[in-house]
Amino acid sequence: MDRINQIWPEWHTVELIGRGAFGEVYKAKREKLGEVFYSAVKVIQIPREESEVREMLADGHTSQSIRYYYESIAKGLMNEIKVMEVLKSAGNVVSIEEFDVRDREDGIGWEAFIRMELLRNLNDYRQGREMSQEETVKLGSDICEALICCEKSRIIHRDIKPENIFVSRFGDFKLGDFGIARELERTMSGFSKKGTYSYMAPEMYKGEKYDSRVDIYSLGIVLYRLMNHNRLPFMSLEKQFITYRDKENALNKRVAGEQMSAPVDAGTQFARIIMKACAYDPA
């Protein structure tokens, strides 16, 4: 059954292109006057499986408490949609076209459909190829433009990493997936450690007070990796394979503030910019 077509009759599912914790992303198409148009549609199930509800009931939860739990997740999803709507006209942010959120017919929960522009993920884009310094500088500049728009809208992304950076057919880089972003006003108390540890700023990792500079730090780590043979700070360039212990040791050194070496493929000026973005001290 084509659920996307049921929501938007002119659109048809083409193929699955991604999968996350709560749902999938599909390529969808629409034909009009002999022309074919494509979009990406994120389909999110809350909860993901009906078995989750059965397990919670077996653990002694009531239907009311379960609904309250999943409603909090659904509100987080609505925050993502709200953020994307606020940033809709920003040139270097993935554009949302339309959305629909519906109660599940078969019980507790919701089903959300978010239609966005179809772009390539950065990891897919650079598969089997090294990005040049010129191209990496453009990525940094483009994502900085996105962060300027975020700052003007008082939004912190909090999870900048290659998986959340996308590339247009024209070679422009865009920031997407605001699933854990929060409005800056709401981060003044009750800070939470969300995001991806490999790119997370030390102050955020340690549960300290943070601000929008955590996004600059994470972008700096992305640029560092792209200019360092695809290796994060404190990871050996000599070893062919990186182990889990290697990753843990590198993370511990970084969040402890040990001095990291400059990325090996970056020119002097670009390396200085990257190192400033990745500075342990937010100031």
Side-chain angles (χ1 to χ4, degrees), residues 250-271:
L251 173 63
N252 291 334
K253 289 181 179 180
R254 184 171 63 75
V255 298
E258 290 194 26
Q259 182 62 41
M260 63 178 74
S261 58
V264 295
D265 293 327
T268 303
Q269 186 177 4
F270 190 34

PDB file of all heavy atoms in Angstrom, residues 250-271:
ATOM      1  N   ALA A 250      40.065   8.693  21.487  1.00  0.00           N
ATOM      2  CA  ALA A 250      40.095   9.974  20.764  1.00  0.00           C
ATOM      3  C   ALA A 250      39.054  10.935  21.331  1.00  0.00           C
ATOM      4  O   ALA A 250      39.317  12.128  21.523  1.00  0.00           O
ATOM      5  CB  ALA A 250      39.857   9.738  19.276  1.00  0.00           C
ATOM      6  N   LEU A 251      37.856  10.412  21.603  1.00  0.00           N
ATOM      7  CA  LEU A 251      36.795  11.242  22.170  1.00  0.00           C
ATOM      8  C   LEU A 251      37.195  11.772  23.540  1.00  0.00           C
ATOM      9  O   LEU A 251      37.023  12.964  23.833  1.00  0.00           O
ATOM     10  CB  LEU A 251      35.497  10.432  22.277  1.00  0.00           C
ATOM     11  CG  LEU A 251      34.325  11.111  23.003  1.00  0.00           C
ATOM     12  CD1 LEU A 251      33.880  12.363  22.255  1.00  0.00           C
ATOM     13  CD2 LEU A 251      33.148  10.151  23.154  1.00  0.00           C
ATOM     14  N   ASN A 252      37.751  10.897  24.389  1.00  0.00           N
ATOM     15  CA  ASN A 252      38.146  11.309  25.732  1.00  0.00           C
ATOM     16  C   ASN A 252      39.210  12.400  25.702  1.00  0.00           C
ATOM     17  O   ASN A 252      39.157  13.348  26.498  1.00  0.00           O
ATOM     18  CB  ASN A 252      38.643  10.102  26.530  1.00  0.00           C
ATOM     19  CG  ASN A 252      37.521   9.125  26.864  1.00  0.00           C
ATOM     20  OD1 ASN A 252      36.358   9.510  26.940  1.00  0.00           O
ATOM     21  ND2 ASN A 252      37.875   7.855  27.047  1.00  0.00           N
ATOM     22  N   LYS A 253      40.167  12.286  24.801  1.00  0.00           N
ATOM     23  CA  LYS A 253      41.215  13.309  24.688  1.00  0.00           C
ATOM     24  C   LYS A 253      40.632  14.640  24.230  1.00  0.00           C
ATOM     25  O   LYS A 253      40.992  15.702  24.729  1.00  0.00           O
ATOM     26  CB  LYS A 253      42.294  12.845  23.708  1.00  0.00           C
ATOM     27  CG  LYS A 253      43.167  11.719  24.229  1.00  0.00           C
ATOM     28  CD  LYS A 253      44.223  11.331  23.204  1.00  0.00           C
ATOM     29  CE  LYS A 253      45.119  10.212  23.734  1.00  0.00           C
ATOM     30  NZ  LYS A 253      46.159   9.821  22.738  1.00  0.00           N
ATOM     31  N   ARG A 254      39.712  14.565  23.286  1.00  0.00           N
ATOM     32  CA  ARG A 254      39.138  15.795  22.728  1.00  0.00           C
ATOM     33  C   ARG A 254      38.301  16.536  23.758  1.00  0.00           C
ATOM     34  O   ARG A 254      38.442  17.747  23.929  1.00  0.00           O
ATOM     35  CB  ARG A 254      38.303  15.451  21.483  1.00  0.00           C
ATOM     36  CG  ARG A 254      37.745  16.657  20.762  1.00  0.00           C
ATOM     37  CD  ARG A 254      37.129  16.276  19.437  1.00  0.00           C
ATOM     38  NE  ARG A 254      35.995  15.380  19.560  1.00  0.00           N
ATOM     39  CZ  ARG A 254      34.780  15.755  19.965  1.00  0.00           C
ATOM     40  NH1 ARG A 254      34.546  17.008  20.291  1.00  0.00           N
ATOM     41  NH2 ARG A 254      33.782  14.872  20.033  1.00  0.00           N
ATOM     42  N   VAL A 255      37.419  15.826  24.466  1.00  0.00           N
ATOM     43  CA  VAL A 255      36.542  16.506  25.430  1.00  0.00           C
ATOM     44  C   VAL A 255      37.290  16.903  26.693  1.00  0.00           C
ATOM     45  O   VAL A 255      36.797  17.728  27.474  1.00  0.00           O
ATOM     46  CB  VAL A 255      35.306  15.644  25.781  1.00  0.00           C
ATOM     47  CG1 VAL A 255      34.467  15.386  24.536  1.00  0.00           C
ATOM     48  CG2 VAL A 255      35.695  14.351  26.462  1.00  0.00           C
ATOM     49  N   ALA A 256      38.501  16.333  26.896  1.00  0.00           N
ATOM     50  CA  ALA A 256      39.333  16.736  28.038  1.00  0.00           C
ATOM     51  C   ALA A 256      40.162  17.963  27.724  1.00  0.00           C
ATOM     52  O   ALA A 256      40.799  18.532  28.615  1.00  0.00           O
ATOM     53  CB  ALA A 256      40.241  15.583  28.461  1.00  0.00           C
ATOM     54  N   GLY A 257      40.177  18.370  26.451  1.00  0.00           N
ATOM     55  CA  GLY A 257      40.881  19.597  26.080  1.00  0.00           C
ATOM     56  C   GLY A 257      42.328  19.411  25.694  1.00  0.00           C
ATOM     57  O   GLY A 257      43.098  20.388  25.665  1.00  0.00           O
ATOM     58  N   GLU A 258      42.744  18.177  25.393  1.00  0.00           N
ATOM     59  CA  GLU A 258      44.123  17.979  24.935  1.00  0.00           C
ATOM     60  C   GLU A 258      44.336  18.691  23.602  1.00  0.00           C
ATOM     61  O   GLU A 258      43.420  18.801  22.784  1.00  0.00           O
ATOM     62  CB  GLU A 258      44.435  16.488  24.791  1.00  0.00           C
ATOM     63  CG  GLU A 258      44.530  15.752  26.121  1.00  0.00           C
ATOM     64  CD  GLU A 258      45.156  14.379  25.978  1.00  0.00           C
ATOM     65  OE1 GLU A 258      45.946  14.172  25.027  1.00  0.00           O
ATOM     66  OE2 GLU A 258      44.850  13.507  26.820  1.00  0.00           O
ATOM     67  N   GLN A 259      45.552  19.172  23.382  1.00  0.00           N
ATOM     68  CA  GLN A 259      45.854  19.923  22.170  1.00  0.00           C
ATOM     69  C   GLN A 259      45.857  18.990  20.958  1.00  0.00           C
ATOM     70  O   GLN A 259      46.590  18.005  20.921  1.00  0.00           O
ATOM     71  CB  GLN A 259      47.227  20.600  22.299  1.00  0.00           C
ATOM     72  CG  GLN A 259      47.622  21.456  21.107  1.00  0.00           C
ATOM     73  CD  GLN A 259      46.685  22.620  20.863  1.00  0.00           C
ATOM     74  OE1 GLN A 259      46.248  23.277  21.805  1.00  0.00           O
ATOM     75  NE2 GLN A 259      46.350  22.869  19.608  1.00  0.00           N
ATOM     76  N   MET A 260      45.018  19.284  19.985  1.00  0.00           N
ATOM     77  CA  MET A 260      44.964  18.449  18.784  1.00  0.00           C
ATOM     78  C   MET A 260      45.871  19.024  17.703  1.00  0.00           C
ATOM     79  O   MET A 260      46.099  20.233  17.642  1.00  0.00           O
ATOM     80  CB  MET A 260      43.519  18.337  18.265  1.00  0.00           C
ATOM     81  CG  MET A 260      42.883  19.633  17.811  1.00  0.00           C
ATOM     82  SD  MET A 260      41.184  19.419  17.158  1.00  0.00           S
ATOM     83  CE  MET A 260      40.245  19.139  18.649  1.00  0.00           C
ATOM     84  N   SER A 261      46.391  18.131  16.876  1.00  0.00           N
ATOM     85  CA  SER A 261      47.231  18.574  15.759  1.00  0.00           C
ATOM     86  C   SER A 261      46.345  19.084  14.631  1.00  0.00           C
ATOM     87  O   SER A 261      45.164  18.748  14.551  1.00  0.00           O
ATOM     88  CB  SER A 261      48.105  17.428  15.265  1.00  0.00           C
ATOM     89  OG  SER A 261      47.301  16.327  14.859  1.00  0.00           O
ATOM     90  N   ALA A 262      46.923  19.896  13.748  1.00  0.00           N
ATOM     91  CA  ALA A 262      46.157  20.460  12.636  1.00  0.00           C
ATOM     92  C   ALA A 262      45.818  19.371  11.624  1.00  0.00           C
ATOM     93  O   ALA A 262      46.562  18.397  11.469  1.00  0.00           O
ATOM     94  CB  ALA A 262      46.955  21.564  11.962  1.00  0.00           C
ATOM     95  N   PRO A 263      44.687  19.497  10.904  1.00  0.00           N
ATOM     96  CA  PRO A 263      44.352  18.522   9.855  1.00  0.00           C
ATOM     97  C   PRO A 263      45.407  18.550   8.756  1.00  0.00           C
ATOM     98  O   PRO A 263      45.796  19.617   8.285  1.00  0.00           O
ATOM     99  CB  PRO A 263      42.987  19.004   9.354  1.00  0.00           C
ATOM    100  CG  PRO A 263      42.894  20.442   9.760  1.00  0.00           C
ATOM    101  CD  PRO A 263      43.677  20.575  11.018  1.00  0.00           C
ATOM    102  N   VAL A 264      45.847  17.372   8.330  1.00  0.00           N
ATOM    103  CA  VAL A 264      47.054  17.275   7.500  1.00  0.00           C
ATOM    104  C   VAL A 264      46.882  17.803   6.075  1.00  0.00           C
ATOM    105  O   VAL A 264      47.856  18.218   5.439  1.00  0.00           O
ATOM    106  CB  VAL A 264      47.560  15.813   7.445  1.00  0.00           C
ATOM    107  CG1 VAL A 264      48.012  15.359   8.821  1.00  0.00           C
ATOM    108  CG2 VAL A 264      46.481  14.878   6.896  1.00  0.00           C
ATOM    109  N   ASP A 265      45.660  17.797   5.544  1.00  0.00           N
ATOM    110  CA  ASP A 265      45.460  18.192   4.154  1.00  0.00           C
ATOM    111  C   ASP A 265      45.030  19.645   3.990  1.00  0.00           C
ATOM    112  O   ASP A 265      44.842  20.121   2.863  1.00  0.00           O
ATOM    113  CB  ASP A 265      44.416  17.284   3.490  1.00  0.00           C
ATOM    114  CG  ASP A 265      44.903  15.856   3.341  1.00  0.00           C
ATOM    115  OD1 ASP A 265      46.119  15.664   3.144  1.00  0.00           O
ATOM    116  OD2 ASP A 265      44.073  14.929   3.446  1.00  0.00           O
ATOM    117  N   ALA A 266      44.873  20.355   5.091  1.00  0.00           N
ATOM    118  CA  ALA A 266      44.424  21.748   5.019  1.00  0.00           C
ATOM    119  C   ALA A 266      45.622  22.682   4.910  1.00  0.00           C
ATOM    120  O   ALA A 266      46.650  22.484   5.571  1.00  0.00           O
ATOM    121  CB  ALA A 266      43.596  22.106   6.252  1.00  0.00           C
ATOM    122  N   GLY A 267      45.488  23.719   4.059  1.00  0.00           N
ATOM    123  CA  GLY A 267      46.516  24.750   3.983  1.00  0.00           C
ATOM    124  C   GLY A 267      46.594  25.513   5.292  1.00  0.00           C
ATOM    125  O   GLY A 267      45.690  25.423   6.136  1.00  0.00           O
ATOM    126  N   THR A 268      47.648  26.292   5.463  1.00  0.00           N
ATOM    127  CA  THR A 268      47.902  26.975   6.735  1.00  0.00           C
ATOM    128  C   THR A 268      46.727  27.832   7.191  1.00  0.00           C
ATOM    129  O   THR A 268      46.279  27.754   8.338  1.00  0.00           O
ATOM    130  CB  THR A 268      49.159  27.860   6.616  1.00  0.00           C
ATOM    131  OG1 THR A 268      50.262  27.056   6.211  1.00  0.00           O
ATOM    132  CG2 THR A 268      49.475  28.508   7.959  1.00  0.00           C
ATOM    133  N   GLN A 269      46.182  28.636   6.299  1.00  0.00           N
ATOM    134  CA  GLN A 269      45.104  29.551   6.673  1.00  0.00           C
ATOM    135  C   GLN A 269      43.815  28.785   6.997  1.00  0.00           C
ATOM    136  O   GLN A 269      43.146  29.061   7.996  1.00  0.00           O
ATOM    137  CB  GLN A 269      44.850  30.569   5.555  1.00  0.00           C
ATOM    138  CG  GLN A 269      43.830  31.641   5.927  1.00  0.00           C
ATOM    139  CD  GLN A 269      43.663  32.669   4.820  1.00  0.00           C
ATOM    140  OE1 GLN A 269      44.249  32.558   3.751  1.00  0.00           O
ATOM    141  NE2 GLN A 269      42.844  33.687   5.075  1.00  0.00           N
ATOM    142  N   PHE A 270      43.487  27.806   6.157  1.00  0.00           N
ATOM    143  CA  PHE A 270      42.263  27.026   6.382  1.00  0.00           C
ATOM    144  C   PHE A 270      42.394  26.203   7.665  1.00  0.00           C
ATOM    145  O   PHE A 270      41.443  26.086   8.449  1.00  0.00           O
ATOM    146  CB  PHE A 270      41.976  26.127   5.181  1.00  0.00           C
ATOM    147  CG  PHE A 270      40.619  25.473   5.213  1.00  0.00           C
ATOM    148  CD1 PHE A 270      39.517  26.119   5.756  1.00  0.00           C
ATOM    149  CD2 PHE A 270      40.422  24.205   4.674  1.00  0.00           C
ATOM    150  CE1 PHE A 270      38.258  25.524   5.782  1.00  0.00           C
ATOM    151  CE2 PHE A 270      39.172  23.598   4.690  1.00  0.00           C
ATOM    152  CZ  PHE A 270      38.094  24.257   5.250  1.00  0.00           C
ATOM    153  N   ALA A 271      43.577  25.631   7.910  1.00  0.00           N
ATOM    154  CA  ALA A 271      43.805  24.855   9.132  1.00  0.00           C
ATOM    155  C   ALA A 271      43.609  25.740  10.359  1.00  0.00           C
ATOM    156  O   ALA A 271      43.028  25.300  11.368  1.00  0.00           O
ATOM    157  CB  ALA A 271      45.209  24.258   9.129  1.00  0.00           C
TER     158      ALA A 271
END
